[in-house]
Amino acid sequence: MLRLIYVSTASDSLTAEDIDAIVATSHRNNKDHDIKGLLLFNGLNFLQVLEGPRKALESLYSQIGMDQRHVSVITILHEEIEERTFS
């Protein structure tokens, strides 16, 4: 089991519809891949905590890094965990 935490900055073109799409897609896809966590957005920056199987998280994080709705993705934490913080 892996925990990833990252921060990023919203792109200038990010819209409220984009945020709704991020939340809806994340909810659906994360459930299918046994990924749990938290997504915060303050109007400028995202902070996300992701917990789940290593392979699923590494694949997701690769996609996150290519997403043009945000820039400057910075990994804060990347660690093996025994149990989840988020259910």
Side-chain angles (χ1 to χ4, degrees):
M1 186 86 54
L2 189 67
R3 178 180 296 128
L4 276 167
I5 302 174
Y6 74 89
V7 294
S8 65
T9 301
S11 66
D12 291 337
S13 61
L14 186 75
T15 66
E17 291 79 17
D18 289 330
I19 295 169
D20 290 342
I22 290 168
V23 171
T25 301
S26 296
H27 185 262
R28 182 181 63 249
N29 290 343
N30 290 353
K31 184 177 180 181
D32 291 346
H33 294 98
D34 194 29
I35 297 172
K36 309 289 184 187
L38 169 77
L39 175 64
L40 301 173
F41 180 62
N42 67 5
L44 178 61
N45 299 103
F46 291 97
L47 180 136
Q48 187 162 29
V49 179
L50 297 164
E51 298 174 336
R54 174 179 285 281
K55 186 175 179 180
L57 272 188
E58 289 179 346
S59 176
L60 174 60
Y61 198 55
S62 177
Q63 293 173 1
I64 287 169
M66 293 184 292
D67 191 329
Q68 296 183 356
R69 295 173 290 191
H70 63 158
V71 297
S72 301
V73 177
I74 299 169
T75 304
I76 302 297
L77 183 70
H78 182 274
E79 68 178 356
E80 292 288 331
I81 57 173
E82 294 293 322
E83 61 184 58
R84 297 176 192 258
T85 300
F86 297 93
S87 59

